Amino acid sequence: MKATLAIQRGSPGEPPRIETFEVGFEPGQSVLDGLRRLRAEADPSLAFRFSCINANACKECMMLIDGQVGYACTARLKEGVTALAPLPKKALIRDLVSEIAPPDERL
Amino acid sequence: MTLKQTGRLTDTPTHIETDVLVIGSGAAGMYAALEAAKAGAAVVLADRSLIGRGGATVMAQMTVAAALGEQTPDHWEHHLSDTLGAGRGLCDERLAALLCEDGPRRLREMDGWKVGWAREDGHIKQAQAPGHDRPRCAYVDFLATGPAVSRTLRSRLIAAGGVRRIGDLLIVDIAVRDGEACGATALHLPSGRIVTMAAKAVVIATGGLTGLYRRNSASSNMAGDGYALGLRAGAELIDMEFVQFFPIGHLAPRLVGMDPIMWDPFRYKLGGKLLNAQMREFEQDYATADGRSDGRYVLTRDLATYAITKEVEAGRGSPAGGAYLSFAHVPEAEIRGAFGPVVDRLAANGIDLARQPVEVAPIAHYHMGGLRVDQTLQTRVPGLYACGEAVGGANGANRLSGNAITEAFVFGARAGRSAALRASQSVADWQPEAAHAAIDLLRSATKRDAPNLAAIVVELKAIMADMAGPFRTEAKLRSAAEAIERLKAEVGGVPISSVATFDPVLVDWLDLRNMLLVAQSVIRPALARTESRGAHQREDFPTVDDTWSVNQTVALSNGEIQLGRSAVIAGRAAA
């Protein structure tokens, strides 16, 4: 099966652009599985946060998935288009990465 | 090939001064930071991920072993005896004794900090886990031990003060001057800037190396950073050939939102059955080879891993390439009682245990090897300490279940205190030259046509899983060594960058620099050890050889790996 990921990319100060990727998947795989596969197969410069991969323990992969705040590691890939964007109320760092660290845990 | 400097790396580095720098914010790093601050040191706690989110601790869903004597009378010497037994003659007894003797104190300290150990009849409930002679393992219900530990320690850090916590900070190299650790050079991921840090003592708490393997139970950032940092700083590694595989890691159907090693406590409680493709129990077929068993299990972890691997090789594996784990013989109400709310999380993944088995297969779980330290947790590099899974020696050839979080607490606390003591006896004397090599390396990064490094990471993990996994032969290990050499050539000695901020390509390059060195540090001693012991199983040398009752060490000399041998340290340290 194929999923289409429409990903909002870019850095602060530049107009965001939507880039669209097709990625193969097995039923049950997560959006994070798809993003990791995209990096290895298509564009290694794509930036997104994750740490625990699978367990929903680190809570780092939070992003906007089809307009809703969610975790890429628990949202499932589906056929058709899935829109991904950084969290809207956090400062953008790049692509899907936003500043989610508490202020006193930053440099 | 286009060459272009990346902007931010050339900015003047940000400089930070502190007494103690702790690298890694799992349980070991957070405990080290707390103890160092308690001893009066100014502390920086740095993590490449967010504070308290990455590493292995947050993923640990199971138990914490200590001779609390709450469930049944116990003494730490009994715990030590089980730990040494599991280690198959290779434990550093000083470290193992420290773990077992100090464990109860740390678990009680955590209890006072309201971690929430499960209780029964007014006492801390201790479960019997494989390899222990009595119920010794505390836990937090249900599958919440690791997150509860992380949250508790982070809250203490915030409340205690004295620790500056900095996330998104990737340590590139330890700064060394006159053979002593004096700080570190780092890449700040969000800004893409270089950070230099002066510290009178540095503590490596970066966890293990299971991220080198395709299927593993740790976070993505646990790929042996600390071992490579230590090696390049002049420290020695020990027991690097011993990678623990957990036999029944979840394989299929795709399970999201849960740790892949979650099945063990349930299998233990409910007697889950391991079945092959013919839906036949096969563990008994492998039990005669070795009389040992783990309590209620037919086979120990290493033998269960062997049995599943052999069934798959014989064409009797499950569709995804493992074994079935079935609870279909257990009444539904009993499943609900044991799994609690986890039943609903499984249902969300389309899994109904009363009706269908799941597929499981061995998964890289823990590294017994690591940085060689003395009883103050200092490496052979003055000022450089290690704690938690990053340390080698305490668990020998095989770790007893429940010892990983205990060692994180105990070694973390001890390393933090030792580092603070050293800092209190030193004067600040930062020489920027100590960071020059690492700064030059980062500034040499270029955007250029290069192989996809994310794909090389995937390839490296496959090589390690297939050629340097739980069952090894000389031929497989040699082909792994050759493949690593080829990947090293592809990755090259000059960093690759793609963008100015949060650059995953530069991070992959820096990771591969570490991962390839650490992979070699596993393969070399694995090739040399021509016997099977604990987690190191050689199909071409299937039995224990008493002449191999020695530890192997790995060090770097002029950039080349040097293998050494060292008599096992028996006897205790003064606590």
Side-chain angles (χ1 to χ4, degrees), chain A residues 49 51 57-60 99-107, chain B residues 21-27 29-31 33 43-55 57-58 147 150-151 153-155 157-158 163-169 221:
Chain A
R49 281 184 189 276
S51 179
C58 72
K59 314 288 186 189
E60 291 193 18
E99 183 54 274
I100 57 172
D104 61 346
E105 294 185 348
R106 301 176 194 166
L107 182 64
Chain B
L21 167 65
V22 180
I23 306 168
S25 68
M30 289 197 281
Y31 233 115
V43 181
V44 167
L45 175 63
D47 199 298
R48 58 180 294 171
S49 179
L50 301 176
I51 298 295
R53 309 275 197 98
T57 302
V58 77
S150 278
R151 194 168 51 240
L153 287 170
R154 189 161 168 276
S155 301
L157 274 176
I158 293 167
V163 178
R164 184 174 176 194
R165 308 179 305 280
I166 308 174
D168 284 330
L169 195 59
N221 51 24

Side-chain angles (χ1 to χ4, degrees), chain B residues 309-342:
Chain B
T309 307
K310 286 294 157 189
E311 286 298 299
V312 173
E313 280 178 12
R316 294 190 294 269
S318 64
Y324 289 112
L325 175 64
S326 173
F327 294 93
H329 61 289
V330 182
E332 210 163 334
E334 223 176 293
I335 292 178
R336 167 64 70 171
F339 280 75
V342 177

Side-chain angles (χ1 to χ4, degrees), chain B residues 233 256 335 396 412 456 493:
Chain B
V256 303
I335 292 178
I456 292 183

Side-chain angles (χ1 to χ4, degrees), chain A residues 11-12 27-30 33 36 38-60 73-76 93-94 97 99-102 104-107, chain B residues 14 16 49-51 53-55 58-59 154 158 164-169 188 190 195 218-221 254-260 348-349 452 454-455 458 498-499 501-505 508:
Chain A
S11 298
Q29 283 197 298
S30 68
D33 291 335
R36 290 166 61 216
L38 269 187
R39 282 202 64 234
E41 291 179 356
D43 186 349
S45 75
L46 177 65
F48 48 95
R49 281 184 189 276
F50 72 105
S51 179
C52 80
I53 304 174
N54 197 61
N56 196 223
C58 72
K59 314 288 186 189
E60 291 193 18
C73 78
T74 53
R76 309 282 180 161
I93 291 176
R94 199 169 69 77
V97 178
E99 183 54 274
I100 57 172
D104 61 346
E105 294 185 348
R106 301 176 194 166
L107 182 64
Chain B
T14 303
I16 294 171
S49 179
L50 301 176
I51 298 295
R53 309 275 197 98
V58 77
M59 303 279 284
R154 189 161 168 276
I158 293 167
R164 184 174 176 194
R165 308 179 305 280
I166 308 174
D168 284 330
L169 195 59
H188 182 239
V195 177
S219 299
S220 61
N221 51 24
R254 187 79 177 97
L255 177 63
V256 303
M258 303 192 74
D259 180 343
N349 279 280
N452 183 332
V458 172
S498 64
V499 287
T501 60
F502 216 97
D503 181 357
V505 174
D508 277 343

